[in-house]
């Protein structure tokens, strides 16, 4: 870090600051209130907001017949967005906008649920026949008989008589599969078929019907659009051109704001029979009218005869995810079935990428906006869809706060050279008004630290509701103190001004911004590229426990065939060693690893295109270390339209992998546990590591000779105190993200020239370490973090507590302050153990005094050790506020503000609103509040 970057680190620009997801009640807003809330967000340290038209909540002065005037894209909505943009732009506060109202994506341009541009499901009916059949096509039990449908295909296949049952309902002979419509045996007008099987065996007759699924976007009562066709994507962008950007002045504001269009996770259902969430799993496939033609063009063969094999019960609904399962009607060769489905899923992926994401991104870019997209939720190959996304986004909810899960997209971020990897963070069921900044139970910083350690560098908080002040009709039920919560009072969180912890938000947002500033420096340099080819919406078998690689100190990304086919995916050199993508992540080795089957425990090898094996051979010839685990590959990815062609390609793949195994830079091991030893044999070591196993997770970024390390203690129980060995030459510094200061470290060096850095991290604490050839002495503040030998410990027990309790006012949006003053003669206690504070939330100010004599010669080294508290705190020593204290470690050096004689300390603690809501919500459980301690002065 050059010295000119120190000040931007201390006071980051808005683009480095976290953003807020902002839930808005349609256009039922007031421009002055929009202005006030944006200014509050900016003052609280947020750099932008993501605007979501949630749904319209009418105000008392609007008649029902006029509600349509306040919808997405209406004149009223445009007027509110004009006010928002005119407020935000001068503040440098960037606004992002969802591509349509709420989610899944819909547009007022498509309001008829029978429109072909709506999302489709493919249904099937089946009938067992022996001998000639002339009759009506079999009906589907999942289709809506009252609505239009379209006959897509009619096929047949012989029932398999083998001992093994593959299909859940029936097993079919692969070679017998036939397209009866192609043979001219189906009368589409009368929906009848006349066909005689070629033998006297039992056959299964299938009819496949396409129907729009009826899934609605509740925000505007519009059907969800098809995510696989250009016509649907162009309906969205066309509406923006006509309605949202139709006014030249408003268009200028959008383009000057230069925000993002945002799309949430792809929450599509192939069928709405039974509901949106948790419905009974059904055998209905996601579909689009152009799929068979696109499949034939992209995969080189006709999917029609093999359609029975794509129907995995529940896979295309939000309730179930298991792409590894067998279909209801499957062919006798499981290997072929899975490759046929691979081809189907890959076609969906490419159509989503080319016909949907690319169209929206190119439109956004033409208007000086970028596309931020959560491209998961469908059975697709995740990284392939990211090729057309400006800013990939993950989420703490869907990926279960898993560092391993976040790496499913980090490979695409790094290999595609994307500046930002965003995270929707903070959505936790059951923690509405209860989620804390610093706690161990889904504390927001715990969630963010795990994301940062995995490559994330932009936080979007979930979220904040608009402060509506009036309502009419049945919406009144939403209006309870402390205000309307559009995501529901049990789903976290409301991070706006309605909670006491909001008063301390600036210190937290500054901390996040400084971390994000450093995590965008230069480029990520990652130890390992782990090959992964898998189809999943969100892989629900993700674990939060440290992986084998993390336990050994390695950083890693998952990489896929689509990423390894990039022009930049070639062998090069970095740090004097062979690497993959030297100008990007500079992976030191590739691991072809096994993976856990979805919803299972068995590990198996991934599928691999034949071209991938050819590329691996070239990497090995260039000296790039490669570790093969188990078989290395289950086979090629594609069915190739014919089982014999598939098996021939499988043989060729095995031969190439056999050649690979004996090459000098390659190691072959039987299981994942042996990979670490193989990497050591290949002299592939982590860029940041400890001598013994530790809970540390390390991320490295490199910028023109400067090495930045994000080091995270992932343990929630134990402190780390020891040494970490990192790559880089020069001097070592810690960049304090809490207050923006820089201080030097007394580092040693190894025989190989690596740096040995002493580090102490509390549980869930992180540090930013810089190794640089530059002399930063002009920027360094004096800092001493060594333990005090033979310390004198003064226990601070006598406290006065003054609590500003937040209580309901006369209307749902009014909060009143009730002040309670207590003498804590029995010591510090949780508020739930103090009768006067059992159901209270707010700001607690704890005051105590103590005397230091002139004989206390180590006053200048004094440390205040603050024990347990919830949630955030501030300190004053003798009337002087101490700025930006570490909210995780809670050990504060206060010696410079102490004096001989009487000293006064005040600790201000902010709580959530949870306990104050308990009287009106008996289902709420009490939450620890206040300062519990112990509080000690260490001299």
């Amino acid at each position: 870090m050059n010295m000119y970057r120190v000040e931007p680190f201390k006071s980051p620009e808005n683009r480095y600051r976290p953003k807020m997801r902002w839930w808005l009640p349609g256009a039922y807003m007031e421009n002055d209130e929009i202005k006030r809330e944006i200014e509050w967000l900016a003052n609280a340290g947020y750099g932008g907001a993501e605007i979501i038209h949630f749904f319209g909540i009418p105000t008392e002065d609007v008649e029902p017949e006029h509600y349509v005037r306040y919808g997405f894209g209406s004149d009223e909505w445009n007027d509110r967005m004009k006010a928002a943009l005119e407020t935000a732009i001068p503040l440098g506060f960037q606004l992002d906008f969802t591509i349509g109202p709420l989610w899944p994506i819909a547009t007022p341009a498509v309001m008829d649920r029978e429109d072909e541009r709506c999302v489709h499901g493919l249904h099937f009916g089946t009938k067992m026949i022996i001998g000639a059949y002339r009759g009506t096509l079999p009906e589907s039990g999942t289709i809506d008989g009252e609505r239009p449908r379209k006959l897509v295909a009619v096929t047949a296949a012989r029932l398999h008589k083998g001992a093994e049952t593959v299909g859940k309902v029936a097993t079919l002979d692969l070679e017998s599969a036939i397209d009866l419509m192609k043979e001219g045996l189906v009368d589409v007008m009368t929906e009848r078929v006349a066909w005689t099987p070629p033998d006297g065996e039992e056959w299964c007759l299938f009819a496949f019907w396409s129907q729009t699924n009826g899934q609605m976007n509740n925000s505007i009562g519009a059907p969800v659009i098809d995510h696989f066709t250009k016509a649907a994507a162009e309906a969205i962008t066309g509406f923006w051109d006509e309605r949202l950007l139709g006014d030249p002045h408003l268009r200028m504001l959008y383009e000057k704001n230069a925000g993002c269009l945002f799309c949430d996770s792809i929450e599509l259902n192939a069928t709405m029979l039974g509901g949106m969430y948790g419905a009974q799993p059904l055998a209905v496939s996601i579909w689009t009218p152009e799929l068979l033609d696109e499949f034939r063009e992209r995969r080189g063969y006709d999917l029609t005869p093999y359609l029975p094999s794509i129907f995995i019960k529940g896979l295309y609904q939000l309730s179930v995810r298991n792409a590894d399962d067998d279909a209801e009607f499957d062919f006798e060769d499981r290997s072929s079935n899975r490759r046929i489905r691979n081809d189907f899923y890959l076609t969906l992926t490419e159509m989503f990428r080319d016909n949907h994401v690319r169209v929206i991104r190119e439109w956004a870019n033409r208007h000086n906006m970028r596309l931020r997209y959560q491209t998961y939720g469908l059975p697709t190959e995740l990284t392939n869809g990211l090729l057309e996304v400006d800013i990939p986004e993950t989420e703490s909810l869907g990926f279960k706060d898993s560092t391993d899960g976040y790496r499913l997209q980090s490979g695409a971020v790094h290999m595609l050279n994307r500046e930002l990897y965003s995270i929707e963070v903070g959505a936790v069921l059951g923690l509405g008004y209860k989620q804390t900044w610093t706690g161990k139970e889904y504390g927001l910083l715990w969630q963010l630290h795990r994301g940062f350690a995995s490559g994330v560098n932009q936080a979007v908080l979930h979220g904040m509701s608009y402060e509506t002040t009036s309502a009419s009709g049945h919406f009144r039920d939403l209006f309870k103190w402390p205000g309307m919560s559009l995501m529901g009072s049990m789903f976290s969180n409301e991070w706006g001004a309605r909670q006491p912890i909001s008063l301390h938000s600036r210190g937290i947002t500054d901390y996040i911004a400084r971390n994000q500033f450093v995590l965008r420096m230069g480029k990520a340099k990652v130890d390992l590229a782990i090959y992964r080819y898998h189809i999943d919406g969100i892989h629900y078998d993700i674990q939060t426990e440290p992986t084998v690689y993390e336990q050994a100190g390695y950083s890693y990304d998952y990489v896929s065939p689509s990423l390894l086919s990039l022009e930049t995916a070639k062998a090069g050199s970095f740090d004097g060693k062979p690497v993959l993508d030297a100008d990007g992540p500079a992976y030191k080795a590739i691991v072809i690893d096994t993976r856990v089957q979805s919803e299972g425990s068995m590990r198996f090898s991934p599928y691999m295109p034949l071209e991938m094996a050819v590329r691996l051979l070239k990497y090995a010839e260039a000296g790039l270390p490669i570790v093969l685990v188990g078989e290395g590959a289950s086979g090629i990815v594609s069915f190739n339209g014919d089982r014999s062609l598939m098996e021939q390609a499988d043989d060729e793949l095995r031969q190439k992998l056999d050649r690979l195994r004996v090459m000098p830079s390659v190691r072959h091991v039987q299981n994942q546990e042996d990979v670490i030893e193989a990497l050591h044999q290949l002299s592939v070591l982590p860029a940041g590591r400890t001598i013994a196993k530790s809970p540390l997770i390390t991320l490295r970024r490199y910028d023109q000779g400067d090495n930045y390390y994000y080091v995270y203690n992932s343990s929630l129980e134990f402190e780390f105190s020891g040494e970490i060995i990192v790559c880089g030459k020069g001097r070592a510094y810690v960049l304090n993200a809490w207050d923006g200061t820089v201080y030097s470290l007394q580092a040693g060096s190894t025989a190989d020239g690596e740096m040995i850095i002493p580090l102490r991290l509390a549980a869930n604490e992180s540090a930013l370490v810089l190794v640089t050839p530059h002399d930063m002495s002009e920027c360094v503040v004096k800092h001493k973090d060594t333990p005090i030998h033979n310390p004198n410990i003064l226990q601070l027990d006598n406290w006065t507590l003054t609590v500003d309790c937040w209580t309901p006012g006369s209307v749902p949006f009014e909060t009143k302050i009730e002040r309670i003053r207590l003498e804590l003669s029995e010591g510090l206690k949780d508020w739930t153990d103090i009768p006067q504070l059992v159901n209270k939330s707010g700001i607690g100010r704890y005051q105590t005094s103590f005397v230091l004599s002139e004989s206390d010669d180590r006053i200048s080294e004094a440390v205040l050790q603050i024990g347990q508290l919830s949630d955030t705190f501030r300190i004053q020593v003798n009337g002087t506020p101490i700025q930006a204290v570490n909210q995780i470690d809670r050990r504060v050096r206060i010696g410079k503000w102490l004096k001989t004689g009487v000293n006064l300390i005040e600790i201000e603690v902010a709580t959530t609103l949870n306990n104050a809501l308990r009287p009106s919500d008996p289902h709420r459980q009490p939450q620890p509040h206040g300062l519990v301690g112990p509080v000690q002065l260490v001299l």
Side-chain angles (χ1 to χ4, degrees):
M1 174 182 281
N2 294 327
M3 288 182 288
Y4 70 86
R5 287 178 174 168
V6 173
E7 187 57 36
F9 166 70
K10 186 173 184 178
S11 303
E13 297 176 14
N14 277 3
R15 61 194 177 106
Y16 297 108
R17 294 190 164 277
K19 294 188 175 186
M20 180 73 78
R21 176 172 282 195
W22 194 16
W23 301 301
L24 303 182
Y28 295 99
M29 299 179 287
E30 298 175 355
N31 289 350
D32 287 345
E33 176 61 18
I34 289 173
K35 181 176 185 293
R36 186 193 70 81
E37 293 191 29
I38 289 176
E39 289 174 345
W40 182 90
L41 283 164
N43 289 330
Y46 295 94
E50 171 194 301
I51 283 182
I52 296 181
H53 178 294
F54 204 88
F55 53 74
I57 298 179
T59 55
E60 294 176 337
D61 58 348
V62 176
E63 296 298 325
E65 60 266 26
H66 299 305
Y67 287 174
V68 69
R69 290 174 42 202
Y70 295 84
F72 182 78
S74 66
D75 289 343
E76 295 286 348
W77 174 260
N78 288 340
D79 182 68
R80 304 300 179 266
M81 294 305 99
K82 178 183 176 182
L85 288 163
E86 288 179 340
T87 301
I89 290 171
L91 296 173
F93 185 89
Q94 192 175 70
L95 297 176
D96 295 348
F97 301 87
T98 52
I99 185 67
L102 204 57
W103 60 85
I105 300 174
T107 173
V110 178
M111 296 299 292
D112 181 0
R113 68 175 180 170
E114 310 302 344
D115 194 303
E116 282 289 286
R117 294 170 293 180
C118 298
V119 63
H120 287 68
L122 187 68
H123 307 251
F124 73 89
T126 184
K127 182 179 182 65
M128 301 299 180
I129 61 174
I130 299 177
Y133 178 77
R134 290 172 175 78
T136 58
L137 296 174
E139 292 288 342
S140 169
T142 57
I143 207 160
D144 184 350
E146 302 299 318
R147 295 175 49 224
R149 63 182 185 178
K150 180 180 180 181
L151 183 63
V152 172
V154 180
T155 72
R158 185 190 305 112
L159 281 178
H160 181 65
K161 291 185 176 181
E164 182 183 12
T165 300
V166 177
K168 296 290 185 66
V169 175
T171 303
L172 312 172
D173 282 331
L174 179 66
E175 303 303 329
S176 69
I178 183 173
D179 178 354
L180 299 181
M181 286 181 70
K182 184 178 180 181
E183 299 293 325
L185 302 171
V186 179
D187 187 327
V188 177
M189 296 297 295
T190 63
E191 297 184 348
R192 296 177 64 84
V193 61
W195 177 61
T196 302
D199 53 35
E201 302 292 335
E202 188 172 14
W203 286 66
C204 193
L205 177 68
F206 293 93
F208 299 94
W209 312 88
S210 173
Q211 185 177 59
T212 58
N213 74 346
Q215 185 173 1
M216 303 295 286
N217 177 302
N218 293 330
S219 178
I220 57 169
V224 175
I225 58 98
D226 188 340
H227 285 48
F228 306 101
T229 63
K230 288 183 179 179
E234 288 169 349
I236 296 168
T237 59
F239 183 81
W240 270 80
D241 282 330
E242 179 181 353
R243 291 298 309 158
L244 289 101
L245 303 186
D247 175 3
H249 176 67
L250 189 54
R251 182 173 66 249
M252 178 274 293
L253 291 174
Y254 274 106
E255 294 175 352
K256 185 175 182 179
N257 171 66
C260 293
L261 284 186
F262 169 70
C263 298
D264 205 276
S265 53
I266 315 165
E267 300 178 16
L268 298 185
N269 267 351
T271 175
M272 291 305 294
L273 188 63
M276 176 82 171
Y277 296 97
Q280 178 185 355
L282 295 172
V284 182
S285 172
I286 202 78
W287 196 251
T288 181
E290 300 172 6
L291 194 138
L292 287 176
D293 291 337
E294 293 247 18
F295 186 98
R296 192 177 299 109
E297 178 69 23
R298 295 171 185 271
R299 306 280 82 84
Y301 69 97
D302 188 4
L303 176 64
T304 305
Y306 311 111
L307 281 173
S309 67
I310 70 172
F311 289 87
I312 296 177
K313 184 177 284 188
L315 176 63
Y316 312 96
Q317 297 166 252
L318 291 174
S319 56
V320 177
R321 289 287 185 271
N322 193 357
D324 297 323
D325 209 345
D326 293 322
E328 295 297 283
F329 291 83
D330 236 340
F331 298 106
E332 84 280 5
D333 179 30
R334 185 174 275 115
S335 181
S336 296
N337 297 333
R338 289 187 170 171
R339 256 68 82 81
I340 292 169
R341 286 194 284 273
N342 279 348
D343 288 338
F344 175 61
Y345 303 142
L346 187 55
T347 302
L348 285 177
T349 302
E350 292 173 353
M351 292 179 70
F352 168 71
R353 180 195 69 201
D354 298 343
N355 300 336
H356 176 78
V357 179
R358 180 184 295 161
V359 171
I360 296 173
R361 179 189 59 78
E362 289 179 346
W363 180 90
N365 292 170
R366 288 196 298 270
H367 292 284
N368 198 32
M369 292 187 277
R370 291 181 290 178
L371 178 63
R372 176 165 56 88
Y373 210 131
Q374 299 174 359
T375 59
Y376 43 84
L378 288 173
T380 56
E381 199 288 294
L382 180 56
T383 61
N384 198 312
L386 292 173
L387 298 176
E388 292 290 339
V389 173
D390 294 316
I391 303 174
E393 182 161 289
T394 186
E395 62 175 86
S396 57
L397 175 64
F399 291 91
K400 301 193 295 190
D401 295 289
S402 168
T403 54
D404 193 49
Y406 298 144
R407 291 188 172 98
L408 298 181
Q409 296 181 87
S410 63
V413 173
H414 297 147
M415 294 194 72
L416 294 170
N417 194 27
R418 301 295 190 249
E419 177 191 5
L420 299 178
Y421 182 17
S422 187
I423 184 172
E424 174 196 344
V425 61
V428 184
L429 186 61
L431 291 189
Y433 293 107
K434 194 173 184 179
Q435 187 176 18
T436 62
W437 289 111
T438 66
K440 295 181 180 180
E441 183 189 12
Y442 294 101
L444 193 97
L445 291 186
W446 173 78
Q447 294 184 304
L448 263 183
H449 288 164
R450 298 181 69 80
F452 288 160
S454 312
V456 166
N457 58 12
Q458 174 177 276
V460 182
L461 274 61
H462 181 288
M464 185 183 95
S465 296
Y466 175 83
E467 295 289 349
T468 301
T469 57
S470 61
S472 63
H474 63 279
F475 291 102
R476 280 195 181 279
D477 291 341
L478 289 174
F479 291 82
K480 299 176 181 178
W481 183 73
M484 172 188 66
S485 184
L486 285 169
M487 282 300 297
S489 62
M490 292 306 294
F491 206 73
S492 68
N493 204 26
E494 291 288 348
W495 294 105
R498 63 180 63 175
Q499 292 209 75
I501 54 174
S502 68
L503 299 185
H504 289 184
S505 60
R506 182 67 193 222
I508 302 289
T509 54
D510 285 350
Y511 169 78
I512 296 171
R514 294 186 187 109
N515 275 289
Q516 294 185 164
F517 176 85
V518 171
L519 290 170
R520 298 181 199 175
M521 301 296 287
K523 295 181 179 180
K525 297 297 179 182
V526 186
D527 295 324
L528 306 177
I530 300 180
Y531 174 81
R532 184 179 191 273
Y533 183 85
H534 183 53
I535 302 298
D536 50 1
I538 298 177
H539 188 39
Y540 278 86
D541 205 58
I542 290 170
Q543 300 297 314
T544 55
E545 295 301 313
T547 65
V548 168
Y549 303 104
E550 287 173 330
Q551 291 179 46
Y554 289 96
S555 61
Y556 61 94
D557 289 335
Y558 286 112
V559 298
S560 65
S562 61
L563 298 178
L564 293 173
S565 298
L566 297 170
E567 286 293 321
T568 55
K570 56 188 178 183
S573 177
F574 182 76
D575 280 348
K577 296 181 179 180
V579 296
L580 172 65
D581 192 357
D583 292 332
Y587 302 115
K588 302 173 185 178
I590 300 176
V591 180
I592 312 298
D593 199 1
T594 56
R595 69 167 181 83
V596 177
Q597 182 177 358
S598 297
E599 300 184 1
S601 58
M602 298 295 292
R603 300 191 71 88
F604 65 95
S605 298
Y607 293 104
M608 181 180 293
L610 196 57
E611 315 86 73
M612 180 72 236
V614 173
R615 187 165 285 239
L616 288 174
L617 286 167
K618 291 182 179 179
Y619 291 153
E621 289 170 357
L624 183 66
I626 298 173
V627 179
L628 292 171
V629 183
E631 296 178 296
S634 294
I636 63 165
V637 172
S638 177
F639 178 60
N640 283 347
D642 183 274
R643 177 159 53 181
S644 62
L645 293 176
M646 179 194 76
E647 291 173 345
Q648 180 181 338
D650 279 350
D651 288 339
E652 189 174 350
L653 176 64
R654 281 190 286 270
Q655 292 170 17
K656 293 186 184 303
L657 292 178
D658 287 342
R659 285 177 51 199
L660 186 67
R661 287 187 182 94
V662 299
M663 299 184 75
S665 65
V666 178
R667 295 293 183 272
H668 177 213
V669 298
Q670 291 303 316
N671 54 63
Q672 190 183 60
E673 288 69 26
D674 294 332
V675 173
I676 305 305
E677 176 59 30
L679 289 169
H680 288 177
Q681 292 174 10
L682 292 165
S683 299
V684 176
L685 298 176
R689 66 188 188 278
T690 55
I691 296 174
K693 280 188 177 181
S694 76
L696 297 190
I697 302 176
T698 304
L699 178 84
R700 178 191 185 190
R701 294 191 72 90
Y702 178 84
D703 186 22
Q704 300 178 359
D706 290 339
N707 284 278
Y708 298 87
Y709 291 91
Y710 180 86
V711 186
Y712 171 52
N713 180 5
S714 64
S715 171
L716 288 178
E717 302 297 330
F718 302 107
E719 174 185 281
F720 171 83
S721 183
E723 295 176 333
I724 179 171
I725 303 170
V726 298
C727 296
K729 299 184 184 300
R731 299 173 176 85
Y733 301 90
V734 166
L735 312 177
N736 187 339
W738 288 107
D739 62 10
T741 59
V742 179
Y743 59 88
S744 61
L745 289 169
Q746 298 301 313
S749 61
T750 68
D752 296 328
E754 296 170 305
M755 303 284 284
I756 304 175
I757 294 173
L759 211 57
R760 180 183 58 78
L761 292 172
N764 190 38
E765 188 181 9
S766 65
L768 298 169
V769 175
L770 168 63
V771 176
T772 177
H774 300 102
D775 183 358
M776 303 277 291
S777 57
E778 292 183 19
C779 309
V780 168
V781 298
K782 292 183 179 180
H783 180 86
K784 188 175 183 181
D785 197 29
T786 56
I788 300 173
H789 296 293
N790 302 315
N792 297 320
I793 298 177
L794 177 62
Q795 189 88 15
L796 303 181
D797 290 325
N798 299 314
W799 295 88
T800 298
L801 171 59
T802 303
V803 180
D804 286 344
C805 303
W806 290 34
T807 61
S810 57
V811 295
F813 309 98
E814 182 183 13
T815 295
K816 291 185 176 180
I817 302 299
E818 171 191 337
R819 179 160 291 183
I820 297 176
R821 182 181 173 86
L822 300 169
E823 295 294 333
L824 302 180
S825 58
E826 298 181 2
L828 295 169
K829 291 183 180 180
D830 189 313
W831 290 8
T832 60
D833 294 326
I834 301 174
Q836 300 93 321
L837 301 178
V838 168
N839 289 328
K840 301 297 184 182
S841 301
I843 304 295
R845 295 178 180 88
Y846 295 79
Q847 290 184 328
T848 191
S849 62
F850 54 91
V851 176
L852 294 177
S853 67
E854 294 181 3
S855 62
D856 293 321
D857 57 357
R858 292 188 292 190
I859 291 178
S860 63
E861 300 177 14
V863 174
L864 188 68
Q865 294 186 162
I866 302 173
Q868 180 183 342
L869 62 79
S870 184
D871 171 35
T872 52
F873 69 101
R874 293 174 175 171
I875 296 178
Q876 286 191 32
V877 179
N878 292 322
T880 301
I882 300 178
Q883 302 298 322
V885 291
N886 186 324
Q887 299 289 320
I888 302 293
D889 184 53
R890 297 201 290 270
R891 282 180 274 204
V892 187
R893 292 193 169 272
I894 64 171
K896 64 185 293 186
W897 296 283
L898 294 178
K899 61 185 180 181
T900 58
V902 178
N903 289 268
L904 178 66
I905 287 183
E906 178 178 287
I907 302 176
E908 178 184 282
V909 178
T911 77
T912 69
L913 205 60
N914 179 75
N915 292 359
L917 293 172
R918 292 186 65 223
S920 61
D921 184 356
H923 298 292
R924 282 189 176 272
Q925 296 300 309
Q927 180 183 31
H929 274 8
L931 175 62
V932 178
V935 180
Q936 299 173 327
L937 185 68
V938 181
L939 297 167

